[in-house]
Amino acid sequence: MKKTLFFTSLTALFLMLSCGPNPEKSRLYLDKGIDYLFASQFDEAIGFFDKAIECDETNFEAYYYRGCAYSNNFRNDMALKDWNKAIELKPDYPNPYFNIGLIYKMHNDNSMACYYFKLAEKYGRENMTDYVKFCDYYE
């Protein structure tokens, strides 16, 4: 009887910890994903960012960094989707604006690149002088 109660309690505890929003667990997965991202192990990083998002769907950084991993894996369509989601969750987060601007610049859409570079600067991304200076030529 005691064994059954113990295993039932243990199972209930496991389910409580694994279900629903869990920002602390999400942060752990995010940090691990960032480690893999900086080690250029993009598929592994994406897996950890997926888990971070499963634990907390409002983790804007997980979407941002997963977008970076997708971009480094030449999957810009997925990267743009994630960066836009990061912006939706935290509109004043400057990094996704900058990265979206880089994608537009890479495709020679300079007016859209400048639009996003200026938003990145507006929201506080550092070292934007050269990017915004580049925009003076396209206005």
Side-chain angles (χ1 to χ4, degrees), residues 63 79-89 96 100 104 116:
Y63 286 101
L80 287 170
K81 182 179 173 186
D82 275 353
W83 291 331
N84 281 309
K85 182 66 175 181
I87 290 169
E88 177 187 319
L89 292 170
I100 292 171
Y104 279 113
Y116 282 99

Side-chain angles (χ1 to χ4, degrees), residues 5 39 56 62 102 109 112:
L5 182 59
D56 181 5
L102 290 176
D109 189 341
M112 286 302 291

Side-chain angles (χ1 to χ4, degrees), residues 24-67:
E24 294 82 17
K25 197 173 187 181
S26 178
R27 185 70 210 188
L28 292 173
Y29 285 128
L30 174 68
D31 290 343
K32 192 68 172 171
I34 290 171
D35 290 343
Y36 279 105
L37 178 64
F38 289 145
S40 298
Q41 295 177 338
F42 306 121
D43 291 329
E44 292 83 354
I46 290 167
F48 279 100
F49 297 136
D50 288 344
K51 289 178 182 179
I53 291 166
E54 283 177 28
C55 291
D56 181 5
E57 291 181 358
T58 65
N59 187 337
F60 65 93
E61 288 180 297
Y63 286 101
Y64 168 71
Y65 283 109
R66 188 173 71 176

